[in-house]
Amino acid sequence: MDKELEVSNILIVESKNDKHFIQAFINYLNCNIEIHPPIKIKEDDYEPLEGLNQAKLKTALKALQAEIQKKDIKKIGIIIDIDNYTKQERLNFIDDCIKDVFNEAGTLSNTGQFSNIPIGSGDDIQLSCYLTNVDGQGELETVLKTIKKEDSPHADCLEAWKDCIQRKGKSIKDKDFDKFWVDMYIRFDTCSNQEKKQAERKCSMKNFNYVMENKKDIWDFEHPALNDLKNFLRLFCD
């Protein structure tokens, strides 16, 4: 008798920091999602893309084709930043990658909805996506800035700095400002004196895994900005 295939739902995320955040949020939801990455990287349970382009997403999807032969994969979720693109542009981006790898895949009509991928054995895999955003734009740091839970005097004072450089004829992109803000919030508003002795390891986005494993309470996981992400993740809870 053939060995029964392991049933898996797979989540692909864009970066290591996305991975750490999503894992902490799943744990918070107490959701029993068994997620196996298409490519093992150390002991991680997600496949990070380390910056997004079509070639990297296609590589991750092609790895899934090999995994399909070994595991009973039921659902695939893709989480990427919307950045400054429109929702439809991002859906088209993902759709093009999926159809290049899985020729008979259905079209993704919306986030949080499944399209079917026939796999040749009479079964279909369901695939859905989510676009990380706040009010239709941004990325992980945009979300983190929005859902911060603690007082943030150090980070908030960066607004005065931003006004200052604008008066001097300089500018900073919103994307870069949000990254700067989150760095300051973690380092100066939520890092203990003891942790500051190892600031790079315990008080920085560079080692965001420490923050999400040990200081996740600095974020408000009940914030309405996370409602759509919460609903998306629950699609994979069965």
Side-chain angles (χ1 to χ4, degrees), residues 106-154:
T107 298
L108 280 174
S109 59
N110 203 350
T111 57
Q113 296 182 4
F114 285 109
S115 70
N116 290 332
I117 300 177
I119 56 175
S121 61
D123 296 324
D124 290 348
I125 292 174
Q126 292 186 300
L127 188 147
S128 187
C129 70
Y130 175 79
L131 305 176
T132 301
N133 75 96
V134 175
D135 296 329
Q137 63 180 3
E139 56 182 351
L140 175 62
E141 282 81 3
T142 316
V143 173
L144 294 176
K145 183 172 181 286
T146 302
I147 68 168
K148 68 94 179 179
K149 193 173 182 180
E150 302 298 325
D151 291 337
S152 51
H154 293 86

Side-chain angles (χ1 to χ4, degrees), residues 12-13 27 31 35 51 69 74-75 84 99 104 108 119 162 174 193 196 200 207 230-231:
I12 298 173
V13 296
N27 293 342
C31 202
I35 303 173
Q69 308 305 316
K74 294 301 185 183
K75 296 177 181 179
N84 294 318
K99 290 180 177 178
E104 298 182 13
L108 280 174
I119 56 175
K162 184 179 180 181
D174 289 342
N193 290 332
K196 287 176 181 177
E200 182 173 335
N207 288 292
K230 184 185 300 184
N231 292 334

